[in-house]
Amino acid sequence: MGTAEETAGGEAQAWGEVTPDAARRLLIAAVEAFAERGYHATTTRDIAGRAGMSPAALYIHYKTKEELLHRISRIGHTKALEILRTASRREGSARERLADAVGSFVRWHAGGRTTARVVQYELDSLGPDARAEILALRRQCDDEVHGVIEDGVASGEFDVLDVKGTTLAVLSLCIDVARWFNVDGPWTPDEVGALYADLVLRMVGAGEPAPAQK
C-alpha cells in the first residue's frame, strides 16, 4: 500500500471535517508529500499535482504551504488529545487507564503512520504563532498521561520516582512508532498497541493485576 492510498483510505474519517472536497484532497496530498519528501523540500506545485489540481487552485483554499501544515498539525494533535483524554478519564484503575491510553495512542501512530510522521516531526517547520498553538495541544497531551501516572503513584499501583521524566519516556516511546512501523511488517497496529501497553506497565512497575475476588 502506498502512502497516498494509506492516507486516503485508512484515515479518511480523520479529514472528514475538511471541506469542500478540493480542500480535503489538497490536504491529503500535502500529508503524503510532507511525509515522503519533508516540508521544506515540498513545493505547492508538488502538492497540487498529487491532488490532480493546478497550483493556482491550491491558493483558493490555502494561502500558503505553512497554512496546510498548520491545519494538518492542528487536526492531528486534536485527535491525539481526544484519544488520550478518552482513555485517561474513563472509569477504572490507573493501570487500566494507562494501558488503554498507550494502546490507543500507539494504534493511532501505527495505523496512520503517514499522518503521524508529519504531525509529530514537522513541528519546527511552523511559524512562531502556529507552533505555539500546537505546543499548547502537546502540553495537554502530556498532562493526560502525567495525570494517570500520578494517580497510579498515589494509589500505590505504580512505582515511579520521576513522574515527569516517565511521562516523557512513555510518550516518546509511543510517538516513535510512526517512524518505524511498516504496514507490510510482521505486526498489526493492534498487536503493537498491546505490546507497548504491556511494556509501559512494566516501566511504571505496575506488574500483573490483582486476581479477582471470589
Side-chain angles (χ1 to χ4, degrees), residues 45-112:
R45 183 175 295 275
D46 294 332
I47 296 167
R50 287 171 187 263
M53 301 166 67
S54 69
L58 185 148
Y59 295 110
I60 296 173
H61 303 284
Y62 302 99
K63 295 177 182 178
T64 63
K65 184 175 70 168
E66 186 193 341
E67 183 180 336
L68 262 168
L69 178 61
H70 183 203
R71 191 160 194 195
I72 292 164
S73 297
R74 185 172 62 240
I75 292 172
H77 279 87
T78 299
K79 179 60 178 177
L81 177 58
E82 177 188 329
I83 289 168
L84 290 172
R85 184 169 284 166
T86 298
S88 68
R89 301 189 184 188
R90 53 161 278 199
E91 293 186 3
S93 66
R95 186 185 196 284
E96 293 168 335
R97 289 184 287 134
L98 183 60
D100 191 2
V102 169
S104 300
F105 202 43
V106 166
R107 285 194 300 273
W108 183 74
H109 281 83

Side-chain angles (χ1 to χ4, degrees), residues 1-3 5-7 10-11 107-114 117 177-189 191-192:
M1 181 183 295
T3 54
E5 186 180 353
E6 172 209 345
T7 302
E11 303 176 46
R107 285 194 300 273
W108 183 74
H109 281 83
R113 76 194 195 287
T114 304
R117 282 203 301 270
V177 170
R179 182 186 58 78
W180 64 261
F181 185 80
N182 184 347
V183 292
D184 297 320
W187 297 304
T188 66
E191 289 169 340
V192 177

Side-chain angles (χ1 to χ4, degrees), residues 133-179:
E133 179 188 351
I134 302 306
L135 283 174
L137 286 169
R138 284 198 175 202
R139 283 192 291 271
Q140 291 181 65
C141 290
D142 294 352
D143 289 345
E144 294 301 324
V145 176
H146 188 280
V148 178
I149 295 175
E150 268 194 333
D151 289 347
V153 171
S155 67
E157 295 172 69
F158 302 159
D159 181 14
V160 173
L161 296 178
D162 183 344
V163 173
K164 183 177 180 180
T166 301
T167 299
L168 175 61
V170 169
L171 288 168
S172 297
L173 194 68
C174 295
I175 289 169
D176 194 56
V177 170
R179 182 186 58 78

Side-chain angles (χ1 to χ4, degrees), residues 17-32:
E17 67 191 71
V18 181
T19 56
D21 179 67
R24 182 165 53 252
R25 283 164 53 201
L26 286 163
L27 186 142
I28 291 171
V31 169
E32 175 188 328

